[in-house]
Amino acid sequence: MEVVSGQGKIRISNDVIMLIAKKSVEEVDGVVSFSGGLPVGITEFFSKNTATKKGVKIKNEETQVVINLSVVVKYGVIIPEVIKAVQGKVKKSIEAMTDIEVGKVNVFVQDIQL
């Protein structure tokens, strides 16, 4: 993704954005780990503007990015509350560290750890 400032262009690798997202999710209580991937029907929507690592996909749009996460949560947590915390934390961290607008943070709960 590219950020244009008054002094020139800054290019930030999708790998950096994915790492920020992963570290942010690790700080949220209730999330155990990342899942291997997104459901098959969802992956059909991604084009060549998509970067992927285990459990994290980034879609570059013109002025923003869309983050898709697949996670495993702890048994007994209130899933909507944990997911809202993940969404907020990821969006805030990426925007603060990169100055790239995050359009959406989609979270897919793939499993529950007992």
Side-chain angles (χ1 to χ4, degrees):
M1 190 70 182
E2 200 170 86
V3 178
V4 180
S5 70
Q7 299 176 348
K9 294 180 182 177
I10 301 167
R11 290 182 189 231
I12 299 174
S13 166
N14 282 335
D15 288 344
V16 171
I17 297 170
M18 284 186 253
L19 181 60
I20 294 168
K22 281 189 160 198
K23 291 294 181 188
S24 298
V25 171
E26 289 172 359
E27 295 175 3
V28 177
D29 287 334
V31 177
V32 176
S33 66
F34 289 91
S35 180
L38 298 175
V40 175
I42 293 170
T43 57
E44 293 172 1
F45 291 105
F46 297 108
S47 66
K48 57 188 166 192
N49 292 336
T50 303
T52 305
K53 283 201 175 186
K54 183 178 179 183
V56 181
K57 287 185 181 273
I58 296 177
K59 182 174 183 187
N60 293 322
E61 295 183 347
E62 286 186 30
T63 60
Q64 61 187 7
V65 294
V66 174
I67 310 295
N68 294 285
L69 305 167
S70 292
V71 297
V72 176
V73 296
K74 292 180 188 175
Y75 176 79
V77 300
I78 300 171
I79 295 173
E81 289 179 10
V82 171
I83 300 311
K84 285 178 188 173
V86 167
Q87 289 170 321
K89 183 77 173 171
V90 169
K91 180 176 173 62
K92 182 179 176 182
S93 296
I94 291 172
E95 289 180 345
M97 293 179 72
T98 66
D99 203 27
I100 295 172
E101 182 183 347
V102 177
K104 293 181 184 177
V105 178
N106 301 311
V107 183
F108 304 93
V109 178
Q110 296 293 319
D111 202 358
I112 294 177
Q113 185 178 33
L114 301 176

